[in-house]
Amino acid sequence: MGENAAKNHCAQLNQGEENEMEIFGYKTLGWRKALCIIGYILSCGALLLVFYWKPEWDVWANCIPCSLEEADIVLLRTTDEFRIYSRKTVTWISVSALIKSRSDCPAIAEEDLIFSKAIMKPSLQVKSIQVQKIRYVWNIYAKQFQKVGALEDDHTCSAIHAKFGSGLTCYEQKVRRLICGPNTIDVPVIPIWKLLIKEVLNPFYVFQLFSVCLWFADEYMEYATAIIIMSLLSIFLTVYDLRQQSVKLHRLVESHNNIMVTVCRNKEGFQELESHHLVPGDMLVLKEGRTLLPCDAILISGQCIVNESMLTGESIPVTKTCLPQADNFKPWRMHCAEDYKKHVLFCGTEVIQTKADDRGAVKAVVLRTGFNTAKGDLVRSILYPKPMNFKLYRDAFRFLMCLIAFAAIGMIYAVCVFALNGEEAGEVVKKALDVITIAVPPALPAALTSGIIYTQRRLKKKGIFCISPQRINMCGQLNLICFDKTGTLTEDGLDLWGLLPSERNCFQDIHSFPAEHSLPWGPVFKAMVVCHSLIVWEGKIQGDPLDVKMFEATNWVIDDSSGHKIEGRESTLATVVRPGPKASSAPVEGLTILHQFPFSSALQRMSVIAQETGGEQQVFTKGAPEMVAMLCRAETVPSNFESKLLLYTTQGFRVIGLACKSLQAGKQSADLTREEVESDLTFLGLLIMENRLKSETKPILEELSAARIRSVMVTGDNIQTAVTVAKNAGMISPTNRVIFVEANKIPGSFSASITWKLLAENKTEDYESLEHDSQTERRIRLALRSEQYHFAMSGKSYQIVAQHFRHLLPKLLLNGTVFARMSPGQKSSLVEEFQKLDYFVGMCGDGANDCGALKVAHAGISLSEQEASVASPFTSRTPNISCVPELIREGRAALVTSFCMFKYMALYSIIQYLGVLLLYWQLNSFGNYQFLFQDLAITTVIGVTMSFTGAYPKLVPYRPPSQLVSPPLLLSVVLNILFSLSMQIFGFLMVQKQPWYSKTNIHSACLSMNNHTENSSSVSSLGLQGVRDGAHEQMDNGHKSYENTTVWLLSTINCLIVALVFSKGKPFRQPIYTNYMFILVLIGQLGICLFLVFADIDDLYSKMDLVCTPTTWRISMVIMLAVTLAVSFLVEEAVIENRSLWLLLKKTFWYHSKSHYKRLQRMLEQDSAWPPLNETFFSDSVSITVEGNMGGHSNPAFDSNEDAL
């Protein structure tokens, strides 16, 4: 039994999904819980705080492992590299009130559904947990937690029509509602007190609280108060920001949480109810007029036109068709393949128009509710963002650990010194703890945050908005940017360039646009008039830009009257097109579009059935030319089809194929399947569209290339068009060669083949002969190795390589520049594969089909301001790629600022720490005002103003270091510590050797200059009564000594020296003199410090615990500081910032980058057989299973029309 429990203790939740987790079962033990409560009381809540930070420790302390079936607490752990734990309590849902008798049990009606499998007998309860807003219930038979709130995937098309076509019964609906929960995307506005408590319990603020308590105990009131004010300000700013985000998100989702909907109840007819009562399986009736969808639903009758801009970022109306009643055993989603989205209405989208068919009302079956929906998924991605792994943050933690280790050494030293001198135990503890607050700078996080805030503000001024500030530093490391093509590199709209008609399998003369004479009436003209999915919306023709351009060229208009009755089909709304005022004369009054087969990315085409007024029915198809040609009768396709297509695609044009056929009389269009309609077509010709590059594209890509930042094109367009655009944009230089990588599955087997073909530079060259000419091939391969080459591949080839040639994928990605015909899921997968090679990947797209890739990239930049872009960390108001170098520049500047801040804060802490430890030797320390001056007037002000320095306008061809523990940075810190230590020890020892020095008489140096002789004998002993005891003796509070004055003045000005030396300018930030505020602050602080050195004002010196020294000693201190500045500055410039020196050292010691892609580059340089040319490899029959969506997050509503072109 124990072995079985151990086996069932752990399971996977959401296996294979983006939010995959491990789940562990635990049972609470009373005696363990009692012991923990005693621990909470005895530790004054400290143990409770530790458990709050570490939920896994809480579970391990209170509970014992058990099977998931017996568990009352579950522990969840993410399967990514972060392994983040979370604790959830198991809850019970009682359904006994609904189930009156056993015969009424849902098990009879729904034996195969999760609802019946979750109800435990005889208690009639359901065991559930809620994880990231999704409810999971315990499946008694499968012994696992399963997601509820969505219709099971294994239903067939016919089963959905049969089971749910007439609606759920009232009883079924109540059971489902109880188990699934309400259909709401509920994002409550988090109360301010909750946000405050969460922020205050941050480990850093807890440490600050400890520091402040210690300072109050030491009567170091002023700085403690200043830190409290700063911390409160920081907390309130953070809470305000979080509150604003919470309110914004709440407003985003609240609009459709309560909509009145009409549902069909089995045996009860139609019923109106609030949308939060909807459950999966409910039958929704869509009425005429605009409707906001409160859930995801499958359309099972009629047709809808939907505005999906909320999800896709594109306000192009989309046509949805009903789910076919296919009678097979395949689950509905598998049967529909990638086209399943054409039948799904997504939550948050707006139904603009409904078209009923001969079955009556437009109906849809509720597919998913609440947070399971497309919109719910988008909201969850904002609520629970993927944590970012960045070396800087890991190193920062290690850095703080080192400072704590330093503090521990100081504590031991302090205890030894004071205990041996007979100090009271309480005082010794206080002094020892004081060392921690000196060695670990409490202002560090605030200083680091200020740098990011200033960068965010600068980006905002440049029209770049950021919702994930911690990613700004990551932008400084980007070395590869993936660009979408359409709307990103090229103009969003298309221009109609020409039409190449075909008659009797021969291409005719090209018809150019804009033309003096209009297009002649004929099948091609008819195809352009009807083969689209355009609608009239708000008085304007709306739809895909390509369709709009094509239709506008005909000068026809869409008749937007409410509906058109067609013989025998009274209830149908059909689209009628008629000649416009500017149209050339046509022999018909108009054309009626009877039926549409919408565009499908899987099929790469769309079709319509149209009819002339009073004429015969015809089919018109348009799509990817290769695909359309395959559907046409061979005798109608011109023999030079491929060469003509190549001619235009290699010039960067988008080419669309057109075809048609007549339908037999008497056949109802609604009864025909897509396969029947799209067969034996007649080829009509090619429509040629021009997609111009944006004017900013080429210079920006050249700037990135000069900065050694790789550019990659990831598009849904044709591969030839993509390669041409890449060449025109400068991604592929004219001297570089392009190698097409084509992978295909071998029919009838589980293996695949991969072929490398060199792209011919001009059409007359015949590379087929290369296969037999080994001399030529060797010559080309040598040329390829000496210069850059680029791989180009399609999404289909990419997926096959990922499945069958996994070992080749990294090699292909190393020089892969063009990835065409990529689906949204493949784009996400590609970004993740680049990240596995240790690239820092940026993704720039329009926020629609790139939604997933924008999320998984280190820095996703959306050029769309639609709601779909909320998942993207950065959004640019400027709709071109000029935001990319801008973001990289600011990222690099922010990263360098972070390093400067770290170095400065570490040095300031260690300078103060060394000074205090030196004075501890004499049982002395700095006075309160001395600490206050260093902490507040110097460090805090420098910390705030150091980050004002802007980014350098030019991108240099190398990146700033990405880690704090890099040799130059460590050397810089260590050397400056040594310089400070040397100077302080030198000053400490030298002052004791001065002829005027007296250990007991602090006025001995200036007897002739002041009138304190009478007080000289009454100077109190230097034995301290407290390091910062704050005794208010006007003359002497126990801190005054020549050593104190010397060490304090040296260490204070030393803080200014390191601030100046560490403030980097070029090549990543603007020169330091451009930061006027910082320079003014430094000059002001230096002026005050020099005034304190040379002034001899009794009241001021008394307040600051300073003593009078001869002018010669003061000048000596200034000389010491000047030497330290000169040495520090020289070392920083000549050694630390000397890039050539470090490159030489790397070369001398054979140091090579550990990045995966660099290692691979070195390996391929030695491989004479790479890249292969005109070769075909075959895979083994074993393949890796790759999910259909290639992993990654893809926008559930998006289906890119690019794929057809």
Side-chain angles (χ1 to χ4, degrees):
M1 178 67 194
E3 194 180 315
N4 193 36
K7 193 176 80 173
N8 297 327
H9 164 63
C10 175
Q12 292 270 320
L13 204 64
N14 308 323
Q15 199 161 4
E17 292 180 36
E18 190 188 14
N19 56 341
E20 186 182 83
M21 292 180 179
E22 288 173 303
I23 180 168
F24 305 90
Y26 286 90
K27 195 190 286 179
T28 310
L29 283 187
W31 65 268
R32 281 188 173 224
K33 197 161 187 175
L35 279 177
C36 286
I37 291 167
I38 293 164
Y40 302 154
I41 296 161
L42 294 177
S43 64
C44 300
L47 184 64
L48 194 61
L49 193 62
V50 170
F51 284 171
Y52 170 77
W53 291 333
K54 288 279 186 184
E56 64 271 32
W57 292 2
D58 180 16
V59 174
W60 295 335
N62 282 284
C63 313
I64 56 161
C66 68
S67 68
L68 285 164
E69 195 169 9
E70 299 169 315
D72 60 359
I73 297 285
V74 293
L75 191 62
L76 297 150
R77 183 174 69 191
T78 59
T79 52
D80 57 19
E81 59 195 294
F82 302 99
R83 320 282 277 184
I84 298 165
Y85 283 94
S86 56
R87 173 190 183 276
K88 297 289 170 189
T89 306
V90 174
T91 54
W92 293 88
I93 304 163
S94 175
V95 292
S96 57
L98 289 174
I99 301 170
K100 297 174 182 69
S101 64
R102 284 190 67 83
S103 61
D104 205 9
C105 184
I108 297 163
E110 312 173 60
E111 284 170 11
D112 58 336
L113 299 180
I114 180 66
F115 304 105
S116 58
K117 291 176 182 175
I119 298 172
M120 293 188 175
K121 322 241 175 8
S123 63
L124 300 178
Q125 285 186 316
V126 176
K127 184 178 182 175
S128 76
I129 54 169
Q130 188 150 320
V131 182
Q132 292 186 350
K133 305 280 185 184
I134 300 283
R135 187 178 285 184
Y136 299 81
V137 298
W138 181 254
N139 184 328
I140 305 158
Y141 304 102
K143 304 278 184 205
Q144 64 180 33
F145 279 104
Q146 272 180 271
K147 203 182 280 188
V148 286
L151 216 57
E152 282 86 347
D153 284 336
D154 53 7
H155 289 300
T156 62
C157 294
S158 53
I160 287 173
H161 281 276
K163 274 187 182 179
F164 308 109
S166 52
L168 299 173
T169 63
C170 201
Y171 163 72
E172 284 172 330
Q173 208 266 353
K174 281 178 183 171
V175 171
R176 286 173 181 238
R177 193 190 302 168
L178 200 58
I179 294 172
C180 295
N183 169 41
T184 54
I185 300 171
D186 191 24
V187 183
V189 176
I190 306 163
I192 290 172
W193 65 268
K194 267 192 185 178
L195 290 169
L196 265 173
I197 289 170
K198 195 176 178 184
E199 194 62 25
V200 167
L201 293 180
N202 181 309
F204 163 68
Y205 288 120
V206 171
F207 172 70
Q208 278 207 335
L209 184 67
F210 159 77
S211 303
V212 165
C213 291
L214 190 66
W215 293 332
F216 274 120
D218 268 354
E219 296 181 20
Y220 183 34
M221 305 288 187
E222 295 87 347
Y223 188 57
T225 309
I227 284 289
I228 288 171
I229 292 164
M230 281 166 60
S231 298
L232 286 175
L233 194 66
S234 173
I235 287 168
F236 284 127
L237 280 172
T238 310
V239 166
Y240 175 76
D241 200 32
L242 289 169
R243 173 80 175 186
Q244 290 296 97
Q245 283 179 28
S246 182
V247 169
K248 193 178 172 184
L249 204 53
H250 177 74
R251 283 179 186 156
L252 180 77
V253 297
E254 72 174 341
S255 56
H256 58 265
N257 272 344
N258 255 339
I259 298 165
M260 291 308 291
V261 291
T262 306
V263 292
C264 180
R265 284 271 170 269
N266 199 343
K267 300 171 186 167
E268 292 178 35
F270 297 116
Q271 187 181 324
E272 284 236 339
L273 52 90
E274 288 183 335
S275 61
H276 66 85
H277 292 309
L278 289 173
V279 296
D282 258 334
M283 167 62 64
L284 206 57
V285 179
L286 299 168
K287 296 183 176 176
E288 279 186 35
R290 293 188 168 201
T291 317
L292 207 61
L293 282 161
C295 60
D296 288 358
I298 311 168
L299 196 62
I300 62 164
S301 74
Q303 193 176 311
C304 289
I305 292 168
V306 184
N307 173 18
E308 292 187 340
S309 64
M310 190 291 297
L311 285 178
T312 64
E314 294 183 2
S315 51
I316 296 167
V318 180
T319 303
K320 301 285 182 175
T321 56
C322 63
L323 186 76
Q325 283 189 322
D327 201 11
N328 62 20
F329 299 105
K330 272 188 182 176
W332 72 277
R333 202 173 287 199
M334 277 176 71
H335 171 78
C336 302
E338 286 182 30
D339 282 340
Y340 79 91
K341 295 168 193 165
K342 292 294 168 197
H343 314 302
V344 179
L345 305 167
F346 292 101
C347 176
T349 61
E350 186 181 29
V351 176
I352 302 163
Q353 203 178 80
T354 56
K355 293 183 182 182
D357 58 16
D358 42 16
R359 282 174 287 180
V362 179
K363 296 176 185 174
V365 172
V366 175
L367 174 64
R368 289 180 289 254
T369 57
F371 280 95
N372 293 285
T373 61
K375 180 148 188 176
D377 193 44
L378 187 66
V379 172
R380 285 195 319 119
S381 72
I382 302 163
L383 288 173
Y384 308 102
K386 189 180 172 186
M388 291 307 298
N389 185 12
F390 192 37
K391 287 174 186 168
L392 174 68
Y393 303 121
R394 285 205 315 269
D395 289 351
F397 181 72
R398 289 173 188 162
F399 201 75
L400 283 172
M401 289 298 107
C402 290
L403 289 177
I404 288 166
F406 257 111
I409 295 164
M411 280 175 75
I412 296 163
Y413 165 82
V415 168
C416 294
V417 168
F418 285 99
L420 290 171
N421 279 277
E423 282 287 331
E424 288 177 24
E427 287 299 313
V428 173
V429 169
K430 215 190 281 181
K431 291 177 181 74
L433 290 175
D434 215 18
V435 175
I436 297 180
T437 65
I438 294 168
V440 182
L444 177 63
L448 286 174
T449 309
S450 68
I452 297 292
I453 289 167
Y454 297 143
T455 307
Q456 208 173 343
R457 201 180 292 163
R458 283 197 296 268
L459 285 171
K460 197 172 179 180
K461 280 181 186 171
K462 290 168 184 172
I464 301 166
F465 300 92
C466 171
I467 62 160
S468 182
Q470 72 272 23
R471 295 207 192 208
I472 291 174
N473 277 333
M474 297 194 96
C475 295
Q477 283 296 300
L478 295 180
N479 56 358
L480 185 147
I481 313 287
C482 294
F483 292 100
D484 177 40
K485 184 178 78 68
T486 311
T488 304
L489 298 174
T490 59
E491 295 290 352
D492 213 356
L494 292 157
D495 292 316
L496 202 57
W497 185 83
L499 175 69
L500 192 64
S502 170
E503 277 179 42
R504 295 182 299 282
N505 83 345
C506 286
F507 281 117
Q508 306 301 301
D509 292 338
I510 191 158
H511 181 96
S512 298
F513 294 95
E516 287 177 19
H517 59 279
S518 56
L519 272 170
W521 174 258
V524 178
F525 188 92
K526 281 198 270 186
M528 289 174 68
V529 161
V530 296
C531 198
H532 54 72
S533 54
L534 300 173
I535 63 157
V536 175
W537 180 27
E538 294 178 346
K540 280 175 72 183
I541 291 176
Q542 299 274 1
D544 185 83
L546 185 150
D547 286 354
V548 173
K549 287 281 180 188
M550 179 184 76
F551 184 72
E552 283 175 350
T554 65
N555 290 320
W556 278 43
V557 292
I558 296 174
D559 188 347
D560 63 338
S561 52
S562 59
H564 302 278
K565 292 183 180 179
I566 298 151
E567 259 182 83
R569 299 169 73 202
E570 308 299 320
S571 61
T572 305
L573 278 163
T575 304
V576 173
V577 289
R578 305 185 193 281
K582 294 180 185 175
S584 56
S585 59
V588 292
E589 280 181 37
L591 290 164
T592 306
I593 301 165
L594 305 176
H595 192 78
Q596 272 186 29
F597 294 98
F599 170 79
S600 153
S601 58
L603 303 173
Q604 297 178 10
R605 62 182 180 269
M606 75 159 292
S607 297
V608 296
I609 298 171
Q611 184 180 25
E612 290 180 20
T613 310
E616 63 170 358
Q617 291 186 9
Q618 281 183 298
V619 173
F620 294 95
T621 300
K622 84 168 192 301
E626 310 94 323
M627 190 56 70
V628 171
M630 280 167 61
L631 301 171
C632 293
R633 300 196 312 278
E635 65 271 17
T636 67
V637 180
S639 54
N640 61 341
F641 167 79
E642 287 188 3
S643 61
K644 280 283 184 189
L645 178 61
L646 202 62
L647 174 71
Y648 292 110
T649 54
T650 51
Q651 289 177 62
F653 290 114
R654 273 183 155 187
V655 184
I656 294 109
L658 300 171
C660 77
K661 78 166 179 184
S662 294
L663 280 181
Q664 293 171 3
K667 274 210 170 187
Q668 281 286 342
S669 58
D671 301 333
L672 293 167
T673 64
R674 190 162 189 161
E675 289 72 24
E676 286 176 286
V677 168
E678 295 174 338
S679 61
D680 298 326
L681 301 169
T682 300
F683 186 75
L684 292 177
L686 298 172
L687 197 63
I688 300 153
M689 318 285 287
E690 190 176 21
N691 192 198
R692 296 194 186 99
L693 273 181
K694 288 181 180 175
S695 57
E696 301 84 3
T697 298
K698 196 170 184 181
I700 297 292
L701 291 178
E702 282 169 355
E703 185 183 1
L704 294 176
S705 178
R708 289 191 189 163
I709 295 166
R710 252 185 87 184
S711 296
V712 170
M713 187 191 291
V714 190
T715 178
D717 207 344
N718 172 288
I719 195 161
Q720 285 281 4
T721 306
V723 167
T724 308
V725 170
K727 285 184 171 182
N728 294 343
M731 262 186 196
I732 299 170
S733 86
T735 57
N736 296 167
R737 308 302 278 267
V738 178
I739 299 166
F740 280 127
V741 179
E742 194 177 342
N744 291 295
K745 282 187 178 170
I746 297 166
S749 78
F750 291 105
S751 60
S753 66
I754 184 168
T755 309
W756 281 264
K757 293 176 189 167
L758 195 66
L759 172 71
E761 288 304 305
N762 55 57
K763 300 293 143 313
T764 56
E765 215 170 330
D766 185 13
Y767 277 110
E768 294 302 311
S769 61
L770 293 179
E771 289 180 30
H772 310 292
D773 189 347
S774 58
Q775 277 296 110
T776 314
E777 192 163 316
R778 197 177 301 119
R779 195 176 71 247
I780 285 176
R781 186 172 282 124
L782 281 169
L784 283 171
R785 290 189 66 204
S786 63
E787 64 185 43
Q788 184 77 27
Y789 57 90
H790 303 263
F791 291 125
M793 65 163 77
S794 67
K796 179 177 78 97
S797 295
Y798 170 77
Q799 188 139 354
I800 292 167
V801 168
Q803 282 179 282
H804 295 270
F805 300 96
R806 192 80 204 170
H807 64 289
L808 287 175
L809 190 60
K811 294 180 182 181
L812 289 168
L813 295 183
L814 202 61
N815 285 81
T817 302
V818 175
F819 295 86
R821 293 270 187 259
M822 297 287 277
S823 70
Q826 287 168 343
K827 288 183 180 185
S828 305
S829 166
L830 179 70
V831 168
E832 288 178 328
E833 290 298 333
F834 274 127
Q835 287 171 333
K836 285 177 192 172
L837 290 177
D838 296 330
Y839 279 108
F840 277 85
V841 186
M843 173 75 201
C844 183
D846 57 8
N849 52 338
D850 311 306
C851 183
L854 290 168
K855 261 184 71 184
V856 298
H858 289 111
I861 312 151
S862 168
L863 302 184
S864 161
E865 288 191 68
Q866 294 284 353
E867 281 178 24
S869 66
V870 289
S872 175
F874 300 95
T875 306
S876 172
R877 190 178 278 164
T878 316
N880 60 58
I881 63 167
S882 60
C883 57
V884 175
E886 202 59 69
L887 191 58
I888 295 171
R889 275 193 285 271
E890 288 293 351
R892 287 180 173 187
L895 191 56
V896 170
T897 301
S898 295
F899 287 139
C900 294
M901 201 59 79
F902 256 109
K903 284 167 68 175
Y904 173 70
M905 283 294 178
L907 256 294
Y908 139 72
S909 291
I910 289 166
I911 288 167
Q912 198 178 72
Y913 169 83
L914 293 172
V916 168
L917 292 192
L918 271 175
L919 295 176
Y920 270 10
W921 189 252
Q922 290 196 328
L923 305 187
N924 197 347
S925 182
F926 292 152
N928 279 6
Y929 284 108
Q930 290 177 331
F931 272 119
L932 192 66
F933 186 81
Q934 280 188 355
D935 293 341
L936 207 59
I938 302 285
T939 306
T940 307
V941 179
I942 284 174
V944 168
T945 55
M946 195 189 257
S947 310
F948 284 166
T949 314
Y952 194 62
K954 187 178 182 296
L955 279 177
V956 290
Y958 51 91
R959 298 173 295 158
S962 64
Q963 47 194 51
L964 276 169
V965 290
S966 61
L969 211 136
L970 282 179
L971 186 66
S972 172
V973 170
V974 169
L975 287 176
N976 276 284
I977 289 171
L978 291 175
F979 298 153
S980 300
L981 183 64
S982 308
M983 181 178 66
Q984 287 193 34
I985 291 174
F986 183 74
F988 184 79
L989 296 174
M990 285 306 291
V991 76
Q992 293 173 355
K993 294 196 171 138
Q994 298 306 308
W996 41 263
Y997 172 79
S998 165
K999 198 169 185 179
T1000 53
N1001 184 359
I1002 55 169
H1003 304 296
S1004 58
C1006 300
L1007 280 175
S1008 57
M1009 296 160 62
N1010 60 51
N1011 57 355
H1012 291 300
T1013 17
E1014 67 272 22
N1015 296 324
S1016 63
S1017 58
S1018 62
V1019 172
S1020 65
S1021 152
L1022 284 171
L1024 284 180
Q1025 292 160 29
V1027 175
R1028 297 175 183 166
D1029 58 6
H1032 297 294
E1033 292 172 34
Q1034 182 63 30
M1035 289 302 303
D1036 181 13
N1037 60 10
H1039 296 306
K1040 291 180 183 176
S1041 72
Y1042 292 119
E1043 290 91 344
N1044 172 296
T1045 300
T1046 302
V1047 170
W1048 184 78
L1049 287 169
L1050 289 176
S1051 63
T1052 304
I1053 300 175
N1054 197 5
C1055 287
L1056 301 181
I1057 290 170
V1058 292
L1060 182 67
V1061 169
F1062 288 164
S1063 290
K1064 298 284 184 300
K1066 291 195 287 187
F1068 303 113
R1069 302 203 307 167
Q1070 286 181 354
I1072 197 64
Y1073 56 76
T1074 60
N1075 186 349
Y1076 307 119
M1077 188 67 77
F1078 179 66
I1079 293 297
L1080 282 172
V1081 161
L1082 273 187
I1083 292 168
Q1085 289 173 335
L1086 183 64
I1088 293 165
C1089 289
L1090 289 175
F1091 176 75
L1092 286 172
V1093 170
F1094 290 103
D1096 191 13
I1097 302 164
D1098 289 352
D1099 289 346
L1100 178 67
Y1101 267 35
S1102 181
K1103 198 83 174 163
M1104 293 301 297
D1105 294 317
L1106 297 174
V1107 294
C1108 176
T1109 54
T1111 308
T1112 50
W1113 180 244
R1114 301 179 199 201
I1115 292 165
S1116 304
M1117 283 195 286
V1118 172
I1119 292 166
M1120 282 185 236
L1121 289 161
V1123 170
T1124 306
L1125 170 64
V1127 173
S1128 187
F1129 194 78
L1130 194 69
V1131 167
E1132 198 73 17
E1133 290 302 310
V1135 180
I1136 309 300
E1137 292 298 305
N1138 188 339
R1139 194 163 182 272
S1140 312
L1141 176 67
W1142 289 102
L1143 289 174
L1144 184 69
L1145 286 169
K1146 280 184 180 181
K1147 206 173 177 181
T1148 310
F1149 293 103
W1150 296 88
Y1151 173 80
H1152 292 299
S1153 169
K1154 292 186 180 72
S1155 295
H1156 194 160
Y1157 74 93
K1158 288 278 191 189
R1159 291 206 305 267
L1160 201 57
Q1161 264 173 356
R1162 290 194 295 272
M1163 191 182 82
L1164 292 181
E1165 279 167 14
Q1166 311 301 317
D1167 188 352
S1168 58
W1170 188 265
L1173 282 179
N1174 300 311
E1175 288 181 46
T1176 301
F1177 296 165
F1178 295 92
S1179 73
D1180 299 328
S1181 56
V1182 180
S1183 74
I1184 300 159
T1185 305
V1186 179
E1187 291 297 315
N1189 71 346
M1190 292 297 292
H1193 169 94
S1194 63
N1195 190 321
F1198 191 77
D1199 200 358
S1200 171
N1201 280 24
E1202 274 190 355
D1203 298 26
L1205 314 173

